[in-house]
Amino acid sequence: MIGTRTRFVLTICAGSFLLFLVQPMIARMALPRLGGAPSVWNSAMLVYQALLLGGYAYAHMLGRFPARRQALIHLGLFLVAAIFLPIGLMGWQPPQDMEPALWVLWLLGASIGPLFFVVAAQAPLLQRWFALADGGDPYPLYAASNLGSFAGLIAYPLLVEPLLTLKAQSLLWSLSYGALFFLVYASARRLPLDSAGPAVAEASDAPLPDGRRMLHWLALAAVPSGLMMATSLYLTTDIVAMPLLWVLPLGLYLLSFSVAFAARRGAADLCILIAPLVLLIGACIAFTGGIHFPVFIALGILAVLFVAATALHARMYNLRPAPVHLTRFYLLMSVGGMLGGLFCALLAPLIFDWTYEYPILLVAAALLLPAREALLRLPELLWEDAGRRTWLAALMLLLGLALSMVGGGLVMGDATPPLVKSICFVTIIAMAILTLGQRFMTAAMLVYLMLCLSGWEKLSQSASGMLTRSYFGVYGVTNKGADGGAGERILFHGTTLHGIQNLTPGRERDPTSYYAPDSGVGLALRHAPDLLGPQARIDVVGLGAGTLACYKRPGQTWRFYEIDPAMVAIARDPADFTFLSRCQPQADIVIGDARMTLARQQAGGADLLVIDAFSSDSIPMHLLTREAMDIYGRRLARNGLLLIHISNRYLDLRPVVAGDAAAAGWHARLRHYVPDKRDDGRHYAASLWIALSRDPARLDHLMALSGREKWQLIEPRPGFSAWTDDHASILPVLKIRP
């Protein structure tokens, strides 16, 4: 016979596993309509947090009823929600003029709302039932809940997605939902009689927590939640733009609950102790980026999230109320998580032009850490005298400000010697260590440290309008090596190059970066008049800085497709880039997701279609599936030519396109371009392009015009399945070394 604790732990773990298995599964189902931008994931997270809040509020409201009546209501709601099985995404298409952030919230909420709501109530509700049935401390069961959540989240990219189609995933989840119903029923059978439930609650004389304590809970929940979402965005924007990384911050966030709410307090206490030092590491990462050591930086920022979240959640656990107020506690925790999500997913993109929410949340975490003894004896001795504490704090605040201004280049600008910068940085670090245990001073040193690194520069870029932020990312335009009109203008997305314009007089129209004349797309566009005729119809998915526009020849008809209006504004502004203004001032640009906008275009309306819609190194998976290829084929003339850009530091996409081509009857050739040393100064970049056509004669003609030796035959990888909207995984195409 299974004991009461084991039965409840099993039920809570199963519910949490299903809850967090559905999150990446639904996001994956939404790819064909919503794309794969980091902000889409953050919007999805906001939906999950809102539904989680609803579930926790429902669990709290059920506490007004006797125990057995709670069980009847909950099991009845379980059956009502089953009407929405099998779980899946509704078939609605977003209106063209609807804000993407709002559409994502509406679509995901309407698709999974009832099912997610019911399962979300599992953790707090069953913990309360356990307290009524067993009389033990229910809070450690929350650690088990989050272990189940973590298992569900990690199982999806590692096991479920590679092995099962979306249809099979939906069926498996739906069957598991039925099994969860019976587990809840089995746990409910252990509840006392209706008369016993209220008696237990009434016997408790624990006072209701005051407003200040509840606000403290809100803050302690909001900061880790926001930090988790800010870490996701920061990683995929500034460090390594790989979709797999999107689940890691959430996974560590869930694990932090397991550690913070565990019965054994050793690991949680250790995180509280080292959190101030770890936040210093986070401050260094936030303003140095991951250009040179992306893997180590990614590991560092994930460690910062885990330690900070564990420390704050442990502080929340230490301030937990009596079990009679358990559902109120979890409800406020959920409200705090929702507030953190709202700040990062909706508010921050509107008020900031860079990811300033990440350093802000680091400082907030430092302010919320409990005041306690420092790691070292010296800081304790410095701050133990009240009189000395006042003037010492004032001195450090003034000195830190001065050091940040000098080290951050605000005083001497680019002329600041590296040695001076290093001295300022090390001095601020030393002062930060001396303030350990004094949370307000530690927070101030965090601010000065970030300003000393590149914070003043970021603020200057924001003030000058150099940075642009949209729902799809953070962009910046800067000049490099400019001297009297020479040099280059660079468009960057995070730390990833997104476009270059040569500023040397007479070369402003020259194609650069991945679009060099001898690149795959350069060869196709240069020879387009001979290959496709003088009136070729050319479609380009992905505008960027507008580099390709200067390949246009008289008589040709061009159309660009771009998902981000902010990118269109940058490309059209001659103060940023002049490719469009010089070569196609009246460029035809269609704004929207490529698949949806192309599907609405006239069939056979293009002779050449270029797919270059990748944002840094993240890939919109839905643009490389069989269904996407069908849309491209419909848009192209029967003997049309398709060019797909697959340059990527972390994924080998050749098997994906080759598999799609073979499955759909396309013929394919690969162009791997590496710049010649003689081209130094022209700002060319190595690139991988695949040319495809349903007419082999078209590819033969392209190779004859551009040189057969420049193109390689590309064949499907044995055993590799072509990507479809129903089944795709990036695990088989991950590069061991970028």
Side-chain angles (χ1 to χ4, degrees):
M1 190 74 175
I2 299 178
T4 300
R5 175 175 288 271
T6 303
R7 183 175 300 195
F8 275 87
V9 167
L10 179 61
T11 305
I12 288 175
C13 281
S16 298
F17 181 88
L18 286 184
L19 192 67
F20 280 83
L21 185 68
V22 77
Q23 293 194 17
M25 182 175 74
I26 290 296
R28 170 68 182 85
M29 290 178 179
L31 271 179
R33 275 179 276 175
L34 304 178
S39 294
V40 173
W41 174 257
N42 272 0
S43 293
M45 280 300 307
L46 187 60
V47 172
Y48 303 146
Q49 288 177 326
L51 292 172
L52 195 67
L53 172 60
Y56 280 24
Y58 156 74
H60 178 63
M61 295 296 293
L62 276 187
R64 300 179 179 182
F65 298 96
R68 290 291 180 91
R69 195 173 302 172
Q70 292 180 34
L72 288 174
I73 294 172
H74 188 58
L75 290 171
L77 193 60
F78 239 101
L79 294 175
V80 171
I83 297 173
F84 294 87
L85 294 174
I87 194 168
L89 207 63
M90 290 188 171
W92 303 338
Q93 293 291 338
Q96 294 183 3
D97 57 348
M98 190 171 186
E99 175 65 30
L102 297 178
W103 170 247
V104 174
L105 299 179
W106 176 257
L107 176 64
L108 296 181
S111 297
I112 65 171
L115 294 168
F116 198 100
F117 172 85
V118 171
V119 180
Q122 291 296 107
L125 187 60
L126 266 74
Q127 285 179 71
R128 182 177 179 85
W129 289 0
F130 173 77
L132 296 173
D134 183 84
D137 184 3
Y139 286 102
L141 269 67
Y142 195 61
S145 167
N146 283 279
L147 280 177
S149 301
F150 177 77
L153 187 69
I154 297 301
Y156 187 80
L158 297 182
L159 295 174
V160 177
E161 186 182 36
L163 298 178
L164 300 175
T165 65
L166 287 178
K167 185 176 181 180
Q169 293 171 30
S170 174
L171 179 61
L172 177 63
W173 195 94
S174 302
L175 292 174
S176 300
Y177 179 87
L180 181 62
F181 172 85
F182 289 104
L183 285 174
V184 174
Y185 171 75
S187 297
R189 287 179 59 87
R190 291 298 179 95
L191 287 171
L193 296 176
D194 288 350
S195 58
V200 173
E202 292 168 4
S204 174
D205 57 357
L208 182 68
D210 59 26
R212 184 175 181 179
R213 175 57 55 86
M214 289 190 283
L215 286 175
H216 199 176
W217 292 341
L218 282 176
L220 288 169
V223 172
S225 172
L227 196 59
M228 177 266 296
M229 297 181 72
T231 298
S232 299
L233 184 63
Y234 185 77
L235 276 177
T236 52
T237 299
D238 278 0
I239 307 298
V240 182
M242 291 172 55
L244 264 182
L245 286 180
W246 297 359
V247 302
L248 293 182
L250 178 56
L252 292 175
Y253 172 76
L254 296 173
L255 275 183
S256 74
F257 280 110
S258 297
V259 175
F261 281 68
R264 296 181 179 180
R265 308 303 302 155
D269 290 341
L270 177 62
C271 286
I272 291 177
L273 191 63
I274 66 173
L277 286 175
V278 173
L279 289 175
L280 290 175
I281 297 174
C284 295
I285 292 173
F287 284 91
T288 54
I291 300 175
H292 302 296
F293 306 103
V295 175
F296 296 108
I297 295 296
L299 292 175
I301 198 173
L302 290 171
V304 170
L305 168 65
F306 178 73
V307 172
T310 301
L312 296 180
H313 289 150
R315 176 65 171 159
M316 187 186 304
Y317 176 84
N318 293 336
L319 298 175
R320 69 193 184 280
V324 68
H325 301 303
L326 178 144
T327 54
R328 181 186 301 272
F329 174 72
Y330 285 127
L331 175 60
L332 288 170
M333 180 191 297
S334 182
V335 171
M338 180 72 177
L339 291 175
L342 284 170
F343 172 65
C344 287
L346 293 183
L347 185 60
L350 293 176
I351 63 177
F352 300 137
D353 57 11
W354 187 69
T355 52
Y356 288 112
E357 61 268 30
Y358 182 73
I360 288 173
L361 288 165
L362 289 180
V363 175
L367 292 172
L368 287 171
L369 289 175
R372 57 177 301 153
E373 293 182 356
L375 283 171
L376 304 174
R377 179 62 179 162
L378 179 58
E380 293 181 30
L381 296 175
L382 285 175
W383 300 97
E384 63 182 4
D385 182 80
R388 182 170 55 199
R389 187 184 304 130
T390 301
W391 65 259
L392 184 59
L395 178 62
M396 283 192 170
L397 289 173
L398 291 174
L399 180 59
L401 178 60
L403 289 170
S404 73
M405 294 172 67
V406 174
L410 195 63
V411 176
M412 293 181 283
D414 294 337
T416 307
L419 179 60
V420 173
K421 292 183 178 181
S422 299
I423 291 174
C424 293
F425 171 76
V426 171
T427 305
I428 294 176
I429 287 286
M431 289 196 302
I433 293 175
L434 291 177
T435 63
L436 293 177
Q438 308 295 314
R439 54 185 176 182
F440 293 103
M441 289 300 298
T442 300
M445 292 304 116
L446 279 175
V447 173
Y448 291 148
L449 185 62
M450 291 185 284
L451 291 174
C452 180
L453 289 169
S454 61
W456 291 116
E457 180 184 355
K458 287 295 181 186
L459 292 173
S460 175
Q461 290 175 348
S462 295
S464 64
M466 183 183 297
L467 300 176
T468 301
R469 183 170 183 175
S470 74
Y471 184 71
F472 299 96
V474 177
Y475 310 103
V477 179
T478 185
N479 290 350
K480 181 179 179 182
D483 183 14
E488 59 188 0
R489 181 160 296 145
I490 299 173
L491 171 65
F492 57 87
H493 177 236
T495 57
T496 303
L497 180 70
H498 214 52
I500 300 176
Q501 183 165 26
N502 196 332
L503 298 180
T504 303
R507 291 187 175 179
E508 295 89 348
R509 301 183 186 212
D510 290 358
T512 56
S513 64
Y514 307 116
Y515 318 107
D518 273 345
S519 66
V521 71
L523 293 173
L525 291 174
R526 281 169 53 204
H527 296 289
D530 295 327
L531 184 66
L532 304 169
Q535 295 182 330
R537 300 163 299 172
I538 298 174
D539 283 3
V540 178
V541 173
L543 177 62
T547 312
L548 290 178
C550 289
Y551 276 110
K552 183 181 180 182
R553 297 294 177 265
Q556 294 179 348
T557 302
W558 282 55
R559 175 171 292 170
F560 292 93
Y561 301 83
E562 173 58 51
I563 194 172
D564 193 350
M567 184 62 71
V568 175
I570 291 173
R572 284 195 181 278
D573 187 352
D576 290 329
F577 294 92
T578 61
F579 291 118
L580 283 186
S581 61
R582 288 172 179 265
C583 302
Q584 295 193 45
Q586 304 300 321
D588 180 7
I589 302 176
V590 179
I591 298 177
D593 180 79
R595 273 188 57 162
M596 290 183 286
T597 52
L598 278 173
R600 292 192 288 261
Q601 303 301 312
Q602 177 186 355
D607 301 303
L608 174 61
L609 174 58
V610 178
I611 306 296
D612 180 39
F614 298 166
S615 167
S616 63
D617 284 287
S618 65
I619 59 167
M621 186 181 290
H622 67 301
L623 297 183
L624 293 178
T625 63
R626 280 281 311 277
E627 291 81 358
M629 294 291 287
D630 290 342
I631 292 175
Y632 305 152
R634 175 188 173 278
R635 174 58 178 164
L636 281 169
R638 181 60 194 171
N639 60 348
L641 187 64
L642 174 64
L643 269 294
I644 301 180
H645 188 195
I646 62 167
S647 304
N648 197 287
R649 289 176 292 181
Y650 309 106
L651 304 172
D652 180 7
L653 297 174
R654 288 174 293 184
V656 176
V657 180
D660 290 339
W666 295 74
H667 303 270
R669 294 293 186 274
L670 172 71
R671 170 58 174 157
H672 184 188
Y673 169 71
V674 179
D676 193 289
K677 292 183 178 179
R678 293 173 296 181
D679 293 327
D680 286 349
R682 292 186 176 270
H683 313 295
Y684 296 160
S687 63
L688 285 172
W689 288 86
I690 295 182
L692 304 101
S693 180
R694 290 166 296 188
D695 181 3
R698 182 67 73 193
L699 286 180
D700 287 339
H701 193 188
L702 172 64
M703 290 187 292
L705 290 170
S706 58
R708 292 185 178 276
E709 72 284 354
K710 296 180 180 179
W711 297 89
Q712 307 169 25
L713 180 65
I714 180 171
E715 296 180 347
R717 178 192 293 177
F720 184 88
S721 299
W723 283 2
T724 67
D725 287 349
D726 194 43
H727 185 234
S729 171
I730 68 169
L731 288 179
V733 296
L734 279 173
K735 294 181 181 178
I736 302 300
R737 291 185 179 181

